[in-house]
Amino acid sequence: MTSRWDFWIDRGGTFTDIIGRDPQGQLHPRKLLSENPEAYADAAIQGIRDLLGLKTGAAVPAERIGDIKMGTTVATNALLERKGDRVLLLVTKGFRDALRIAYQARPDIFAKEIILPEQLYERVIEIDERVRADGRVERLLDIAACRPAIEQAKADGIDAVAIIFMHAWKYPDHEKAVAKVCRKIGFSQISVSHEVSPLIKLVGRGDTTVVDAYLSPILSRYVQRVAGELGTGPRLMFMMSSGGLTAADMFQGKDALLSGPAGGVVGMVETAKLAGFDKVIGFDMGGTSTDVAHYDGDYERAFDTEVAGVRIRAPMMRIHTVAAGGGSILHYEAGRFRVGPDSAGAILARPLIDAADRWPSPTPMSCSASCSPMCSRRSLAPARTSRSMSAPCAENSRPWPPRSATDARRKRWPRASSPSPSRTWPTPSRRYRCSEATMSPSIS
């Protein structure tokens, strides 16, 4: 037994879950919205404050905290929603399309239209250099010729660069020289292939380096914010995609893709063992993404993996992740609906929680025999169906969800003074009219 608190944190795209263990060994859970800028700057730190009995914004006493172990989907969601940093790719001259062409794999050999995955880098600059496989320099590095283009990229707002040269995994001198120039120019994130993935094969090494440059800045900003609030006393560790832990200052983008889901797999296995099961299938649906995993006595890991259409070469749990969760946004495009990959996150959760709090407790209600089977009065809780959103029957005149003048002013929900057989739900670009039988979009 120690005199300090220990914390385990799962920072998701919508909710953040915190479990604290006090000095007496008792466990205390806490759940917060991941994004709630009106109330706090960071959910993980606020959860620690709440469990320690501190006020919002109060300094966290480092002497009261021991270890903090955190899994986060910050990198996962940024990749799924394509919200990483802008990346400049520097590659050996003649290989600007090598990562796009990749291995020319065709998963569906009979497909007439081949849709290539979206590239994470925004701009490509070819560097005049070439080293052969045996280490002989075929063309000397000419950094002066391309320096103006690199400086222009920096001036245009690109702050992350990925450097990938042929055979640099074994002969990295040219990459080191270009990285030194990029530091002088002022790039804050420089991912060099011989450091990120020092292995043979240009495509695998290059894809991993680009992913690292794309995600590391977002991850670094989050880690620095958390570490800055905690100070130098507590030991802050993050879960890696492989299921292991690493120190905060060594946490990289390439190791964070499945940080949150990997922690979920470990928790699933340990919980199943307590219940007497040694074979488990895990289904974890969060607010932004859904993760599926399998356990058959041993943790299943992969080295070459594809996540959200992006190839990466790094050890990680074998987890299948899709960009569809409870808060994924429904789009109407080209005559059909599409779910995700973007998510409303905690922004959507707040009005729904408020509406649920205002909704009265369910009570048994009777309904006439002629009423539709879809009528919400046939159950204890009003069903969220197209009929219950308008008017289930003449006897039930309460629309769902409850609306007030405050909500109408904030435009959370359209104000309704009386039920109607058809109601229009406005969005910025399109409206959806819900009726008893159908749900059809109409251009506003």
Side-chain angles (χ1 to χ4, degrees), residues 87-421:
V87 176
L88 169 67
L89 172 61
L90 304 181
V91 67
T92 301
K93 188 174 182 179
F95 292 87
R96 65 178 300 121
D97 296 317
L99 300 187
R100 181 170 179 80
I101 297 172
Y103 303 114
Q104 303 187 54
R106 296 185 63 177
D108 186 355
I109 195 171
F110 297 107
K112 296 181 178 180
E113 182 183 7
I114 306 300
I115 302 176
L116 296 176
E118 179 184 357
Q119 299 301 310
L120 300 182
Y121 52 83
E122 179 179 316
R123 192 177 302 182
V124 184
I125 297 177
E126 294 181 287
I127 306 298
D128 192 9
E129 69 84 35
R130 184 63 187 270
V131 178
R132 290 175 174 263
D134 58 4
R136 288 187 298 159
V137 178
E138 181 175 310
R139 285 201 305 273
L140 291 173
L141 174 65
D142 186 7
I143 189 63
C146 57
R147 180 161 184 161
I150 298 175
E151 292 176 343
Q152 183 59 48
K154 174 62 178 175
D156 292 340
I158 300 178
D159 202 33
V161 59
I163 305 173
I164 306 156
F165 291 162
M166 286 290 292
H167 306 298
W169 67 279
K170 193 172 183 181
Y171 307 103
D173 290 344
H174 286 183
E175 283 193 350
K176 291 179 179 179
V178 175
K180 185 178 180 180
V181 172
C182 290
R183 291 188 186 95
K184 291 182 179 179
I185 293 175
F187 287 92
S188 62
Q189 174 62 40
I190 302 173
S191 296
V192 191
S193 72
H194 73 272
E195 297 175 352
V196 174
S197 180
L199 297 170
I200 195 172
K201 293 189 177 181
L202 177 71
V203 174
R205 177 163 49 91
D207 285 337
T208 306
T209 305
V210 170
V211 168
D212 188 74
Y214 186 73
L215 297 177
S216 287
I218 292 179
L219 201 63
S220 177
R221 288 192 290 268
Y222 179 72
V223 171
Q224 289 175 6
R225 186 168 73 240
V226 173
E229 293 277 0
L230 295 173
T232 58
R235 185 171 62 163
L236 177 61
M237 294 174 284
F238 283 88
M239 175 75 72
M240 296 188 294
S241 302
S242 61
L245 289 167
T246 186
D249 58 346
M250 299 180 65
F251 198 36
Q252 295 178 274
K254 71 180 183 68
D255 298 321
L257 276 181
L258 299 178
S259 169
V265 172
V266 175
M268 171 192 76
V269 171
E270 295 302 320
T271 304
K273 287 181 178 179
L274 294 176
F277 295 94
D278 57 359
K279 297 181 179 180
V280 193
I281 294 177
F283 181 89
D284 178 10
M285 186 173 189
T288 304
S289 60
T290 298
D291 308 300
V292 180
H294 173 265
Y295 179 80
D296 188 14
D298 293 306
Y299 289 109
E300 300 178 359
R301 292 183 173 88
F303 190 69
D304 289 288
T305 317
E306 182 173 318
V307 179
V310 177
R311 298 174 299 270
I312 185 167
R313 184 190 287 173
M316 60 180 63
M317 291 281 191
R318 193 179 294 276
I319 303 171
H320 186 67
T321 300
V322 294
S328 295
I329 297 175
L330 178 67
H331 301 270
Y332 182 76
E333 297 177 351
R336 63 179 181 177
F337 289 108
R338 176 176 62 84
V339 179
D342 49 339
S343 169
I347 299 175
L348 176 64
R350 294 171 62 188
L352 290 182
I353 291 174
D354 293 343
D357 290 340
R358 292 194 305 272
W359 188 248
S361 300
T363 55
M365 296 181 290
S366 61
C367 189
S368 61
S370 60
C371 187
S372 167
M374 298 293 289
C375 178
S376 61
R377 299 181 70 175
R378 291 185 177 272
S379 62
L380 295 181
R384 301 184 183 184
T385 64
S386 60
R387 187 171 179 89
S388 63
M389 280 192 288
S390 53
C393 60
E395 299 176 24
N396 187 3
S397 60
R398 293 186 302 179
W400 189 94
R403 304 177 183 94
S404 64
T406 302
D407 286 335
R409 286 194 298 270
R410 294 179 179 175
K411 298 183 179 180
R412 287 183 178 176
W413 307 100
R415 187 177 180 182
S417 57
S418 60
S420 60

Side-chain angles (χ1 to χ4, degrees), residues 3-7 23 51-54 60-66 234:
S3 60
R4 298 186 177 188
W5 282 71
D6 293 324
F7 295 95
L51 293 179
L52 292 179
L54 304 175
V60 178
E63 66 278 1
R64 295 182 59 187
I65 301 176

